[in-house]
Amino acid sequence: MKYGFFDDANKEYVITSPKTPFPWINYLGNKDFFGLISNTAGGYTFYKDAKFRRLTRYRYNNVPVDMGGRYYYLKDEDCTWNPTFKPCQTELDSYECRHGLSYSRFLSSKNGLSSNLLCFIPLDYMGEVHLLKLKNESNQTKKVKLFSFAEWCLWNAEDDMTNFQRNLSTGEVEVEGSALYHKTEYKERRNHYAFFSVNTKINGFDTDRESFIGMHNGFDKPQAVENGKATDSIAHGWSPIASHYIEVELKAGEEKEFVFVLGYVENKDEEKWASKGIINKTKAKAMMAQFDTTQKVEAAFANLQNYWSNLLDKFQLDSQESELNRMVSIWNQYQCMVTFNMSRSASFFESGIGRGMGFRDSNQDIIGFVHQIPEQARERILDIAATQFEDGGCYHQYQPLTKMGNHALGGDFNDDPLWLILSVSSYIKETGDFAILDEMVPFDNDESKAQSLFTHLKVSFSHVINNLGPHQLPLIGRADWNDCLNLNCFSTNPNESFQTTGNKKGRTAESIMIAGLFVVYGKEFIKLCKQIGKREEAQEASLHVKAMEKSVKEHAWDGEWFLRAYDYYGKKVGSNENKEGKIFIESQGWCTMAEIGKEEGLMKKSLDSVKERLDTPYGIVLNNPAFTEYKIEYGEISTYPAGYKENAGIFCHNNPWVIIGETLLGRGDQAWDYFRKICPSYLEEISDLHKVEPYVYCQMVAGKDAFKPGEGKNSWLTGTASWNFYTISQYILGIQPDYDGLKIDPCIPSDWKEYSVRRQFRGAMYEIKVLNPSGINKGIKSIELDGKALNGNILPILTSGTHQVKVILG
C-alpha cells in the first residue's frame, strides 16, 4: 500500500495521508541550524548540537507517537483543526505533506478554509521560517482564531528530561510586541536565547504551558484554544512555551499570509543586556526584519531551491529505471547531506542526546557527500582526525559543538582508525587537494601534539599492525564495525553498556572484518604513498598488507566462507562448526572487496555462500542461523530477538559491501538484484509493511527469522546512505574518481541497454553515455572523449567546460 507518490519534477515526496505507518520525517537546515519535521509537523529544532542547544521540546515515547512540534491551531466557529492534521487529528477535507529538499509544505483544508504552510530554514540563517497562508474558499466571511504553539526545551535536552527539581523552577521569558522570547538561564552562564515571532500584530499570547494547555488537557485540546482566547500568561518557572493568538477575518475568496520565525541568538558577554533584566534583542529584531514580508520569504525559499539544484546537478542519472533515477539523482544524495550533518545523532530513532558525531560514521558519510561540498568534507576530516590519539586509536565519538572527543565513551573500537584512510583518499581523489596531507592536526585536540594529516594516516595504518592477535589477525578491541559483537565484554549486569564494558581485557579476540578492511585501505594507503613520492612507506606497508592476506587465507577461511572472528577463548566465530551464527556478512563483504583469495576461488565461494545462506526477498541478513540464546562471550548481538538488528536482521549498511564484491567478480546481475532489494523507491508499494519512509534508506530491515520480515527501522541516519551512493555510482554505474582522472568501470545488469550520467569532476562536466549492445555485465570495448578514441578507461583531468563521453561495453 502506498501513502503518497514521488513528484520528481519538484524533487518532492508527496504524502497524501497523514496516517502513515510511522512518522515520515524530513530535515530542515544545511549547516549549523537544523530542524526535524514529520509529516504531521512533529519534531524539534536545534543549533549545531541536538543535545546541548535544543530549542524546542520533543518526547520520543509519547502515545500516540509523534506528539510535540511546531503547531498551528485554527478555530473556525466550533471546529478546531490543524493545518498539519496533528495534534487535534480533526478529519480534514484535504491533506498533503510535500517533503522537499530542506523544506516541508503542508496543504490542507476544512469547511471552506484552506491552509498552505511552508517550513524551512533559509541558507545561513539561525532560524526556522514558517509561511502560513490562509484562504477563505467559501462564499461567506469567516472569522478564524489562529493560535501558534512551540514548547521550549531548556537547552540541554538530556537535563531537560530528567532534572525536574531544577527545571520546573527556572523557566524565564519576555514578551515584546509580537515576539515571545525564551531566556532561561540567560542571566547566568548562557549567552544565547531563542524567540518565536510573527510579522503582524497579535491579539494575545501565552508563554506558560499550564495556562495555555490546561493541567488536564493534551496538545489535541489546549484550554486556551477551546476557550477561543489567549490568557496572556507569563511563565515563571514551570514549562515555558510560545503561543501567539491572532484573530483573522477573511472575506469570501480572501487570502492572508503570516510569517512566523523560530530563531536563535548569541550575544557577546558585554552585549547581553539592553537594561537590567532585559535581554539585548538587536540581533533578534534584525532576524525578524529579514523575513517580515511574504516576498522576502519566497525569495529565500527560491535561493534554497537553487542551492539544491546546483548541488544535485553534480551527479545526475538517466536510465531505464525511473525508481533508480530519482534515488541517485535526488533522494540518496539528499540523505547523504543529512547524514553528513547529523552523523547518527538526531532522527526519529536517535534522540540527539546519547550520541555525538561518530569517528567511524563520519568518515564513511564523507564518501557519499564529498562530491557535493568538498570544502565542508575537508573541514570535517580535520575535525575527525583531531580526536585521534598518538598511537592511532581514537575517540569513538565527538561532540559537534565543542569538537572534543567523548570521554565517557572513550575509544578502543579497533576498526575506527582505518576509516580515516577511506575519507582522506576519497577526498583527494575527488579534489586533487594533496595539500590536506600537510595540514597540522592535533592529537586528542592538543595543539602541542600536532602532526601532519599524513602522520595521522600513518599511525592509523600502524594501529592495526601494532595490535595483532595470536593468528596475526587484528585484535577487535571493544568491537569493530559491528558495535554489538562484544568479544571482551562478558556482561551479566543489565545496567552495563555492552560497548563500554570490558570485563576480560585479553589480547586474543580477533576480527576478520578488520583484516579485510585493513587490506582494502592498506592498499589505498600504499597507492597514496606512491602518489606523493613516499616509496619507502609504500614498500613497508605492502609487506604488512601481504602478511595480512596470508593470515586471512591460513587462519580465517572456513572452507566455504570467511570466518567472522576469534573470540576471547580463541574459538572460531562465524564458522560451520558453530551451532548458531555460522556465517556473517561483514567478513564476506570486506574480504571480497579486498579480493583476498580471488585466484584460488575463495572470493567466489564466499559470495556464493552469501547467496545461499544470507539472501532474502528483502536483502542480505547479517548472520545465519540467528542466535536464540544469550552467548555471554559474544555480547549484545545475541540479545536481540532472532531477525532483528544485528541478530540476523538485514543491516542495510553492509549489503553494499557484498554488492561491491559481486561487481569485482563481474557479476552485475547479482549485484543489481541485491541493490534493488533494499533501495527504498522500489519498496514504495509495500509501505504498509516496510513502515519507514520510501524516499530514504533505513539502517535495518527485519530478517527472515523475524515476526514480520521486511519491516524497516532506524531510517535516515545510517551509513547505508553513503555506502549505497558510493556503490551505485562507482561500482555499478562505474564512475570512479581517481588521483589521475575519472575512471570508467561499470558492472551492470545484462538487460540494461544504455544509461547516461552527468558528472562534475575537478571543474569540468562530463556527460557520459554508456551503451551495452551485447547485453553483458562488465567489460569495456571502447571509450570516446569529445569524439576521439581514448586509450585506457581513465578520463583525463579537464578543468573546465562540458565534455562528451561515449562508452561501449563489449
Side-chain angles (χ1 to χ4, degrees), residues 595-607:
E595 299 185 288
I596 297 174
K598 185 176 183 180
E599 297 79 10
E600 301 95 319
L602 306 189
M603 187 176 168
K604 181 179 181 299
K605 284 183 180 180
S606 165
L607 292 175

Side-chain angles (χ1 to χ4, degrees), residues 232 296 424:
D232 294 349
K296 291 179 181 178
V424 173

Side-chain angles (χ1 to χ4, degrees), residues 657-707:
W657 303 340
V658 167
I659 296 170
I660 291 173
E662 290 287 355
T663 66
L664 295 175
L665 272 187
R667 304 199 298 197
D669 290 314
Q670 186 59 70
W672 173 247
D673 179 62
Y674 288 145
F675 184 89
R676 193 181 185 279
K677 285 178 179 178
I678 64 168
C679 184
S681 57
Y682 287 95
L683 307 177
E684 189 184 14
E685 294 286 351
I686 59 167
S687 289
D688 50 335
L689 168 64
H690 192 56
K691 281 196 172 183
V692 291
E693 300 90 340
Y695 43 91
V696 292
Y697 285 95
C698 59
Q699 178 207 68
M700 194 280 293
V701 175
K704 57 186 176 182
D705 302 291
F707 173 74

Side-chain angles (χ1 to χ4, degrees), residues 55-59 149-155 159-174 180-184 205-215 217 219 231-243:
L55 268 71
T56 55
R57 186 175 279 166
Y58 188 76
R59 301 163 184 82
F149 176 81
E151 182 180 15
W152 300 117
C153 176
L154 304 189
W155 299 114
D159 185 80
D160 180 72
M161 293 190 296
T162 56
N163 192 6
F164 302 119
Q165 61 84 25
R166 170 176 168 80
N167 293 338
L168 293 180
S169 298
T170 58
E172 289 188 272
V173 300
E174 281 186 31
L180 313 175
Y181 296 87
H182 175 225
K183 62 176 186 177
T184 301
F205 61 86
D206 274 294
T207 64
D208 173 68
R209 190 181 71 194
E210 182 180 340
S211 300
F212 177 74
I213 292 181
M215 179 57 75
N217 295 43
F219 291 129
T231 71
D232 294 349
S233 61
I234 299 292
H236 295 285
W238 297 108
S239 296
I241 64 160
S243 175

Side-chain angles (χ1 to χ4, degrees), residues 63-297:
V63 179
V65 297
D66 194 31
M67 277 291 181
R70 63 284 282 159
Y71 291 141
Y72 295 93
Y73 297 84
L74 297 169
K75 187 172 179 63
D76 182 7
E77 296 183 351
D78 293 331
C79 180
T80 300
W81 58 283
N82 306 108
T84 55
F85 180 67
K86 282 189 177 180
C88 291
Q89 302 193 58
T90 304
E91 202 66 35
L92 302 175
D93 295 336
S94 66
Y95 162 92
E96 270 190 1
C97 169
R98 289 181 164 264
H99 281 328
L101 307 181
S102 297
Y103 71 89
S104 291
R105 187 188 296 273
F106 302 85
L107 302 167
S108 53
S109 65
K110 182 71 176 178
N111 296 340
L113 178 64
S114 69
S115 167
N116 181 332
L117 173 63
L118 172 66
C119 302
F120 72 106
I121 293 172
L123 298 172
D124 300 315
Y125 188 70
M126 297 302 118
E128 190 173 305
V129 174
H130 303 165
L131 174 58
L132 176 63
K133 299 180 180 180
L134 300 177
K135 186 174 182 180
N136 183 358
E137 308 280 2
S138 75
N139 55 12
Q140 294 181 335
T141 297
K142 280 184 173 288
K143 293 185 178 181
V144 180
K145 296 179 178 182
L146 168 64
F147 296 82
S148 69
F149 176 81
E151 182 180 15
W152 300 117
C153 176
L154 304 189
W155 299 114
N156 182 324
E158 183 176 28
D159 185 80
D160 180 72
M161 293 190 296
T162 56
N163 192 6
F164 302 119
Q165 61 84 25
R166 170 176 168 80
N167 293 338
L168 293 180
S169 298
T170 58
E172 289 188 272
V173 300
E174 281 186 31
V175 178
E176 185 177 306
S178 298
L180 313 175
Y181 296 87
H182 175 225
K183 62 176 186 177
T184 301
E185 296 186 336
Y186 183 75
K187 72 174 179 293
E188 50 264 23
R189 295 176 295 175
R190 296 190 179 276
N191 68 345
H192 44 269
Y193 63 83
F195 66 89
F196 194 25
S197 66
V198 63
N199 67 335
T200 191
K201 184 178 180 181
I202 59 177
N203 300 96
F205 61 86
D206 274 294
T207 64
D208 173 68
R209 190 181 71 194
E210 182 180 340
S211 300
F212 177 74
I213 292 181
M215 179 57 75
H216 303 290
N217 295 43
F219 291 129
D220 57 333
K221 287 187 178 181
Q223 192 64 55
V225 178
E226 292 280 291
N227 294 340
K229 189 176 181 180
T231 71
D232 294 349
S233 61
I234 299 292
H236 295 285
W238 297 108
S239 296
I241 64 160
S243 175
H244 304 91
Y245 168 56
I246 305 169
E247 296 174 357
V248 185
E249 183 173 315
L250 294 167
K251 296 182 175 61
E254 185 179 8
E255 181 178 72
K256 288 187 177 178
E257 300 163 347
F258 306 90
V259 180
F260 293 85
V261 175
L262 181 64
Y264 173 87
V265 171
E266 287 185 353
N267 284 328
K268 296 177 181 178
D269 287 345
E270 63 272 19
E271 297 174 355
K272 286 180 67 170
W273 303 102
S275 59
K276 184 174 175 59
I278 305 299
I279 59 178
N280 181 349
K281 304 180 181 70
T282 303
K283 289 183 180 178
K285 290 178 180 179
M287 289 178 66
M288 295 175 213
Q290 281 183 259
F291 296 106
D292 56 6
T293 68
T294 299
Q295 292 73 25
K296 291 179 181 178
V297 173

Side-chain angles (χ1 to χ4, degrees), residues 24 63 207 212 305 354 386 412 572 599 743:
W24 286 1
V63 179
T207 64
F212 177 74
Q305 290 181 301
D412 200 23
K572 296 175 182 178
E599 297 79 10
K743 183 178 178 182

